[in-house]
Amino acid sequence: MLLLVTVILWLAYMVYAEGTWGASLGKRATGIRVVKIDGTPMDMQASLIRNVLRVDGLFFYLVAAIFVWTSPTRQRLGDRVANTVVVPAQKASGSYGFGARDGEPGALSPPVPPLPFPR
């Protein structure tokens, strides 16, 4: 019962934090933010979809890592379904121009996921 309550509270926190501020405390501390793929701010619906689909965290996030590695915009399952993307916080305003070519104004370079081992 305690585990269920903990999971529900954690999910509620993640949905609220990302739905209102675009970032949890951990994302804020690391300088990243979640936005919709068109560059608009997150809303509660997208945040709920994104966070309910954290089932890709199975097997020590190996499933999520595979989704990220196979996505040109570095999206995990929840991001793909909710049409969201994680970006550096300073780029979290305005349109990202996913159709723009690299180097052009509005072109988004998706964050590179960290390697699962030290360099």
Side-chain angles (χ1 to χ4, degrees):
M1 188 64 169
L2 180 60
L3 178 62
L4 180 63
V5 170
T6 302
V7 168
I8 290 171
L9 288 175
W10 173 77
L11 182 63
Y13 160 72
M14 291 302 292
V15 169
Y16 180 78
E18 289 180 355
T20 56
W21 305 310
S24 63
L25 292 175
K27 284 182 184 66
R28 284 180 169 204
T30 57
I32 58 177
R33 185 177 180 129
V34 183
V35 295
K36 290 184 180 180
I37 204 157
D38 63 0
T40 58
M42 285 284 288
D43 58 25
M44 288 295 189
Q45 181 181 5
S47 181
L48 179 63
I49 293 168
R50 180 179 192 278
N51 284 290
V52 165
L53 291 176
R54 285 188 180 268
V55 296
D56 62 3
L58 297 174
F59 307 112
F60 303 102
Y61 278 90
L62 179 61
V63 175
I66 292 169
F67 272 101
V68 169
W69 294 332
T70 60
S71 169
T73 52
R74 305 281 193 239
Q75 293 171 291
R76 63 176 188 77
L77 175 63
D79 288 319
R80 290 181 186 195
V81 175
N83 290 317
T84 59
V85 66
V86 178
V87 296
Q90 65 269 19
K91 285 190 171 187
S93 61
S95 176
Y96 292 98
F98 275 95
R101 290 188 210 119
D102 288 340
E104 289 184 357
L108 173 66
S109 299
V112 178
L115 296 173
F117 50 85
R119 294 179 191 218

